[in-house]
């Protein structure tokens, strides 16, 4: 068990900077998820922690020891890869024992550790098979087992669920959570799937273009995204954005764009004062928008035209046109019949409005 | 729905399809078999003729298709010549050692080309490419002078070095292809599991490349065993090579086709064994 500390870590491939100045403190036994779109530098960061990529600048420390110049084998880490990376020419048993055998652990101890890991992951019947003879889910369990047997300081996961089909992915996600409770090891998990990030992580690091945009618990990221990118990346369906002009009239801020005009009490939004005469971006989560007129003073209302309805069974998602922008409204009663082109009124609590810099 | 319930259009369509499908595969199979037989015959006929010639007395080699007299004296005569036995041994040794040396270099070279980027692999790749562009026959004369100068003309080394060099140029590319097909994350996993880079190559990448390596070993061995040009120019009496000895049955006193054929049939046997043994590995290896 150990903490992982990244201090101003950088990675450059010639003139291309893949990871820019990342500082992160992963606490002992914490499960941190690095999430972001393809090419955001999350896998490169993980590979630098593993020692598979050299660090161009900054330091990486595991358990208080700077490991920048240590070989992967000397960092006491274990890693699960996207495509499992099992040794195809070995049986499952030998795959599991490979790391211990390399460290010259006595055979009886290896056998015991392998049996223990196999029992934990319910892969005992598969021990004498070759990886080729296993399904994707079974291979992923073996890959997890290979990490477990060594009892390392840190687990690194590089998109381990991406190759599984949707149903199996959900199942493995649950199994990973259960496994965490039994084996609470410091873990860093890389994914591009925000649902995986939200469900698995104690804390989430959102990355884009090699830069860390926000670090926080899943709820912090969902409720208080620091910028438009984080807001758009976390949550499904994605947050709606509207670029509006800010004006101040007496005690009220007026936010307006084509087809929309929102009046907000200026006392509730002191920060908007500095934006008067400028454009800002309003963010509204589809789940926070309610059909109908504002119920009280804490809500603001607007009108729009229904463009598309998406029936999901337990709810409907509407695409509503406000002036020139389409927004989504989620959580609509599935039995509500709404014709395309019909006008509707909707409202949102002002507390649920997010404000970002306009693009 | 109606169609399925009444059944009529569905069943009649199936009957028609059944009629054609019953005929078509059989017709296709017959055509395919005929084509396969024709191609096999095309390749097998010269070998058949060669074997027939080797079994005919010296006087009957021009009437192979007419004579009825067969003998194994040609084999006796050939195998009683010391130079043929020495040539057999030399050819076997050179083929085997060249294969081992070539694969040793080719595996590492192919791995480097597949896994590493930078000036060294790029230079190596360009070098191989340039060598590959030079016609094979153009190497012969310079190699003759080089081996003379190094004092290795007409020795094992004098033939081994050129063969290994040619194999490296030829097969490094193929080996690169094999390693490209092997997932590198397996090696990363091994490095995390306690292996060095070299250990990951040796213990994980190499076993995964065994089908490819076996295929290359067989191709390499057969290539050296059958090679004639280098052997002709770079060897003389001290290191006779089977392909050259075979050609020497054509001399100023005439052409001893029967002895040449007998030697060729003897040369065919190891090649045949290697091919029969290795066929499945070659197919599997080249499919990676």
């Amino acid at each position: 068990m150990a903490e992982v500390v990244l201090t101003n870590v950088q990675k450059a491939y010639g003139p291309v900077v893949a990871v820019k100045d990342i500082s992160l403190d992963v606490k002992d036994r914490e499960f941190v998820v690095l999430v972001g779109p393809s090419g955001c530098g999350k896998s490169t960061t993980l590979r630098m922690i593993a020692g598979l990529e050299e660090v161009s600048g900054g330091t990486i420390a595991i358990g208080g020891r700077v490991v920048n110049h240590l070989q992967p084998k000397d960092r006491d880490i274990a890693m699960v890869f996207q495509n499992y990376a099992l040794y195809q020419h070995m049986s499952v048993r030998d795959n599991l024992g490979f790391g211990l055998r390399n460290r010259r652990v006595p055979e009886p101890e290896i056998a015991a550790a392998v049996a223990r890991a196999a029992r934990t992951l319910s892969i005992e019947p598969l021990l004498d098979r070759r990886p080729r003879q296993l399904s994707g889910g079974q291979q992923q369990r073996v890959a997890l087992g290979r990490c477990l047997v060594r009892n390392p300081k840190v687990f690194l996961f590089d998109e381990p669920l991406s190759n599984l089909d949707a149903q199996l992915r959900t199942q493995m996600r649950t199994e990973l959570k259960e496994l965490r409770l039994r084996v609470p090891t410091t873990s860093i998990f890389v994914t591009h799937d925000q649902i995986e990030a939200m469900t698995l992580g104690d804390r989430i690091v959102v990355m884009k273009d090699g830069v860390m945009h926000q670090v926080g618990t899943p709820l912090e990221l969902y409720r208080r995204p620091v910028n438009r990118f984080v807001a758009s990346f976390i949550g499904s369906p994605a947050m709606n954005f509207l670029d509006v002009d800010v004006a101040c009239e007496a005690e009220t801020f007026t936010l307006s764009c084509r087809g929309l005009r929102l009046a907000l009490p200026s006392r509730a939004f002191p920060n908007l004062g500095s934006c008067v005469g400028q454009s800002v971006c309003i963010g509204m989560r589809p789940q926070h928008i309610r059909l109908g007129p504002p119920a009280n003073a804490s809500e603001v209302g607007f009108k729009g035209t229904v463009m598309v309805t998406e029936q999901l069974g337990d709810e409907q998602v509407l695409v509503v046109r406000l002036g020139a922008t389409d927004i989504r409204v989620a959580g609509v009663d599935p039995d509500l019949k709404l014709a395309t082109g019909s006008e509707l009124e909707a409202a949102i609590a002002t507390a649920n409005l997010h404000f970002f810099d306009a693009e | 729905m109606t169609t399925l319930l009444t059944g009529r259009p569905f069943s009649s369509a199936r009957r028609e399809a059944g009629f054609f499908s019953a005929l078509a595969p059989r017709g296709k199979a017959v055509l395919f078999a005929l084509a396969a037989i024709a191609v096999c015959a095309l390749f097998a006929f010269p070998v058949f003729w060669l074997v027939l010639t080797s079994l005919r007395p010296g006087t009957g080699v021009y009437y192979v298709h007419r004579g009825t007299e067969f003998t194994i004296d040609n084999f006796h005569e050939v195998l009683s010549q010391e130079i043929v036995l020495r040539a057999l041994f030399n050819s076997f040794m050179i083929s085997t050692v060249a294969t081992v040396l070539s694969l040793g270099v080719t595996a590492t070279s192919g791995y480097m080309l597949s896994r590493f980027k930078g000036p060294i692999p790029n230079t190596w790749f360009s070098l191989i490419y340039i060598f590959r562009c030079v016609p094979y026959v153009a190497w012969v004369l310079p190699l003759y002078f080089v081996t003379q100068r190094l004092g290795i003309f007409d020795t094992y080394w004098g033939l081994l070095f050129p063969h290994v060099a040619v194999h490296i140029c030829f097969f490094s590319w193929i080996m690169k292809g094999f390693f490209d097909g092997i997932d590198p994350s397996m090696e990363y996993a091994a490095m995390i599991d306690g292996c060095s880079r070299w250990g990951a190559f040796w213990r994980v990448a190499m076993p995964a490349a065994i089908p490819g390596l076996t295929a290359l070993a067989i191709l390499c061995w057969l290539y050296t065993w059958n090679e004639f040009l280098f052997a002709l120019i770079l060897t003389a009496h001290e290191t006779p090579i089977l392909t050259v000895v075979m050609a020497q049955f054509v001399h100023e006193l005439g052409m001893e086709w029967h002895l040449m054929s007998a030697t060729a049939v003897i040369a065919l046997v190891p090649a045949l064994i290697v091919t029969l043994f290795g066929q499945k590995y070659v197919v599997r290896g080249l499919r990676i």
Side-chain angles (χ1 to χ4, degrees), chain B residues 9-284:
Chain B
F10 179 65
S11 61
S12 67
R14 199 166 64 173
R15 212 178 304 136
E16 279 174 38
F19 175 74
F20 285 113
S21 63
L23 182 73
R26 199 166 299 169
K28 263 189 207 166
V30 169
L31 271 178
F32 182 77
L34 283 176
I37 289 168
V39 172
C40 288
L42 196 69
F43 283 96
F45 182 74
V47 180
F48 169 71
W49 203 256
L50 181 79
V51 174
L52 222 54
T53 310
S54 71
L55 293 170
R56 301 282 289 160
T59 50
V61 289
Y62 295 106
Y63 312 102
V64 172
H65 54 296
R66 277 194 270 149
T68 50
E69 191 188 339
F70 292 100
T71 172
I72 55 164
D73 286 351
N74 298 333
F75 290 93
H76 270 295
E77 190 173 340
V78 165
L79 289 174
S80 62
Q81 292 184 23
E82 193 220 343
I83 193 164
V84 174
L85 295 176
R86 275 174 57 210
L88 256 174
F89 179 76
N90 288 342
S91 282
F92 182 81
M93 284 303 289
I94 293 212
S95 301
T96 309
V97 177
T99 302
V100 172
L101 291 180
S102 303
L103 283 193
V105 182
T106 311
T108 43
S109 140
Y111 185 75
M112 178 177 78
L113 291 176
S114 169
R115 294 289 190 264
F116 295 92
K117 305 277 172 281
I120 296 176
N122 288 348
T123 313
W124 178 235
F125 190 82
S126 313
L127 207 67
I128 290 175
Y129 187 80
I130 291 165
F131 281 129
R132 287 278 290 107
C133 290
V134 177
Y136 185 61
V137 71
W139 293 110
V140 175
L141 207 60
L143 278 173
Y144 173 76
F145 289 118
V146 170
T147 49
Q148 286 276 9
R149 180 62 67 88
L150 292 175
I152 53 172
F153 175 76
D154 199 15
T155 64
Y156 273 14
W157 291 116
L159 199 51
L160 271 174
F161 281 136
H163 270 307
V164 171
V166 168
H167 290 162
I168 290 168
C169 293
F170 255 98
F171 294 132
S172 288
W173 283 16
I174 301 181
M175 208 62 225
K176 174 189 180 304
F178 289 148
F179 283 119
D180 282 346
I182 296 169
D183 182 9
S185 53
M186 216 158 71
E187 292 143 48
Y188 300 142
M191 284 160 70
I192 288 169
D193 258 349
C195 290
S196 60
R197 194 77 174 86
W198 175 255
F201 162 70
W202 191 246
R203 298 184 55 191
V204 173
M206 280 294 272
I210 277 179
L213 277 173
T214 316
L216 276 200
I218 289 160
L219 293 176
C220 206
W221 195 92
L222 285 175
Y223 183 90
T224 319
W225 179 258
N226 291 326
E227 205 279 336
F228 176 68
L229 193 61
F230 278 5
L232 179 69
I233 307 295
L234 302 178
T235 60
H237 301 297
E238 288 300 315
T239 317
I241 298 298
L242 201 57
T243 47
V244 180
V245 168
M246 230 184 281
Q248 283 166 358
F249 286 111
V250 179
H251 45 69
E252 59 271 24
L253 298 178
M255 290 173 276
E256 295 174 300
W257 290 120
H258 55 302
L259 299 183
M260 190 193 261
S261 304
T263 318
V265 170
I266 291 167
L268 210 68
V269 174
L272 204 65
I273 292 170
V274 169
T275 310
L276 286 178
F277 161 75
Q279 194 187 19
K280 68 175 179 184
Y281 295 102
V282 173
V283 173
R284 196 193 301 162

Side-chain angles (χ1 to χ4, degrees), chain A residues 44-67:
Chain A
T44 309
T45 307
L46 194 78
R47 289 167 59 82
M48 283 194 285
I49 298 169
L52 299 173
E53 295 276 358
E54 276 183 33
V55 180
S56 307
T59 55
I60 296 174
I62 297 174
R65 184 172 62 144
V66 174
V67 295

